[in-house]
């Protein structure tokens, strides 16, 4: 009897030791650098702990892990009607992180899903308040406005929105064709203006040259000789070159010069 009771006592002690070891191991928590452990004691918030190793009292305390790294989230394409009545699809990318783990756990049920919904509604609202040209030309300002609005709405949850970027703007086919025609017309307009400006500058240069030639007739003959030299470089077999009247007069009889 004494031996049986001793074995039973040893078995009970072994079971109690095993249970105590399991309880001790379950109370040890290791939280990495990028996480925080939010502790609840009998349902009441105690606070965030970590990173590192700490103990949680079994049964009485419960820990919720919260990731504090930057989360990248794609905002699905939203169909928006701009201020100038153009229907477009626009999507964006959102960067945010948890800066207050206590609020992220206690003030919102699912902070990732809630941030996603806020981002979608804000994207539709902000893009719908502007015209298409503003969206295409002033995208940086729209990104800043989106970031500011979303960050203000998620701040009570302990969420910090760092960057919001509009990724792509999908236009209807008819709008793409209209914009292509507009861009082509704009390029033609610039080409005509540049051509007209060149003609104006050329006419001014010719007017200055004519004034110089009119004041010194010899320059006209020099210009003819220079032109002849340029033609001779091309190695043409036949050269037809007009002579100015002033040059021919030098070889005419004296009476013809007087008549003229």
């Amino acid at each position: 009897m004494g031996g049986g009771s001793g074995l039973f006592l040893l078995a009970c002690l072994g079971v109690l030791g095993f249970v105590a070891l399991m309880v001790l191991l379950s109370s040890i928590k290791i939280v990495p650098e990028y996480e925080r452990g939010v502790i609840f004691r009998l349902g009441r918030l105690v606070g965030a702990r970590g990173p590192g190793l700490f103990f949680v009292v079994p049964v009485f305390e419960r820990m919720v892990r919260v990731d504090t790294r930057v989360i990248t989230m794609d905002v699905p394409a939203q169909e928006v009607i701009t201020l100038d009545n153009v229907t477009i699809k626009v999507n964006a990318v959102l960067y945010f992180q948890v800066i207050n783990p206590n609020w992220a756990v206690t003030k919102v049920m699912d902070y990732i899903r809630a941030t996603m919904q806020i981002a979608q509604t804000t994207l539709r609202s902000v893009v719908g308040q502007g015209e298409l040209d503003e969206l295409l030309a002033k995208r940086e300002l729209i990104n800043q406005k989106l970031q500011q609005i979303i960050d203000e709405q998620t701040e009570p949850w302990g969420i910090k929105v760092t960057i919001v970027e509009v990724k792509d703007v999908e236009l209807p086919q008819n709008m793409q064709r209209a914009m292509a025609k507009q861009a082509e017309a704009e390029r033609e307009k610039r080409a005509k203006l540049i051509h007209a400006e060149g003609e104006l500058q050329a006419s001014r240069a010719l007017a200055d040259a004519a004034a110089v030639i009119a004041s010194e007739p010899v320059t006209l003959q020099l210009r003819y000789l220079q032109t002849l030299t340029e033609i001779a470089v091309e190695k043409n077999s036949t050269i037809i070159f007009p002579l100015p009247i002033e040059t021919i007069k030098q070889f005419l009889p004296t009476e013809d010069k007087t008549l003229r």
Side-chain angles (χ1 to χ4, degrees):
M1 293 293 293
S5 60
L7 292 175
F8 178 75
L9 181 60
L10 288 176
C12 291
L13 292 176
V15 171
L16 291 176
F18 178 77
V19 172
L21 179 61
M22 291 297 99
V23 171
L24 179 63
L25 292 177
S26 64
S27 65
I28 299 175
K29 302 294 181 182
I30 299 177
V31 176
E33 184 69 30
Y34 56 85
E35 288 184 352
R36 297 295 182 271
V38 180
I39 306 299
F40 292 88
R41 182 178 300 153
L42 297 178
R44 297 181 64 87
L45 176 65
V46 177
R49 297 180 184 175
L53 182 138
F54 54 89
F55 293 91
V56 175
V57 179
V59 181
F60 297 101
E61 292 183 348
R62 182 174 65 92
M63 185 187 75
V64 178
R65 292 178 180 268
V66 178
D67 197 323
T68 59
R69 291 176 293 184
V70 175
I71 300 175
T72 305
M73 182 172 61
D74 287 327
V75 181
Q78 304 295 310
E79 189 169 344
V80 184
I81 300 178
T82 60
L83 194 61
D84 49 351
N85 296 323
V86 178
T87 302
I88 61 175
K89 287 185 178 181
V90 58
N91 60 356
V93 60
L94 181 70
Y95 297 85
F96 65 95
Q97 66 180 138
V98 177
I99 59 174
N100 192 324
N102 297 333
W103 293 0
V105 174
T106 59
K107 293 191 175 184
V108 62
M109 184 174 181
D110 186 348
Y111 64 88
I112 296 180
R113 184 173 181 273
T115 304
M116 167 70 79
Q117 296 300 319
I118 289 293
Q120 292 182 13
T121 56
T122 305
L123 180 62
R124 288 196 297 266
S125 176
V126 171
V127 174
Q129 293 176 2
E131 296 183 354
L132 179 61
D133 292 340
E134 296 179 357
L135 176 61
L136 298 177
K138 302 179 181 179
R139 187 171 297 186
E140 185 64 30
L141 296 178
I142 293 178
N143 293 338
Q144 294 178 2
K145 188 175 182 180
L146 287 170
Q147 186 271 333
Q148 181 181 0
I149 295 175
I150 299 174
D151 185 52
E152 289 177 355
Q153 297 182 4
T154 58
E155 184 179 3
W157 305 336
I159 307 298
K160 174 62 179 176
V161 178
T162 56
I163 302 174
V164 180
E165 292 284 345
V166 175
K167 292 174 58 178
D168 187 28
V169 178
E170 182 178 346
L171 300 175
Q173 292 295 329
N174 56 350
M175 181 56 63
Q176 293 182 16
R177 289 192 294 268
M179 294 182 66
K181 291 181 180 179
Q182 180 183 1
E184 184 178 358
E186 186 68 25
R187 288 193 296 269
E188 291 180 356
K189 172 186 173 183
R190 290 198 298 266
K192 291 180 179 180
L193 290 175
I194 294 172
H195 180 71
E197 183 67 24
E199 291 292 338
L200 178 60
Q201 294 179 4
S203 63
R204 290 175 179 174
L206 289 174
D208 296 339
V212 173
I213 292 174
S215 62
E216 295 292 339
V218 180
T219 57
L220 181 60
Q221 299 181 15
L222 294 176
R223 181 58 182 165
Y224 270 101
L225 294 175
Q226 183 180 1
T227 305
L228 182 61
T229 303
E230 293 176 357
I231 295 176
V233 174
E234 301 296 331
K235 299 180 180 180
N236 295 325
S237 58
T238 303
I239 300 176
I240 300 176
F241 191 82
L243 293 176
I245 298 300
E246 289 77 6
T247 304
I248 300 177
K249 285 181 180 181
Q250 304 298 327
F251 303 99
L252 292 177
T254 308
E255 58 274 9
D256 291 344
K257 293 182 182 179
T258 305
L259 292 176
R260 293 182 179 273

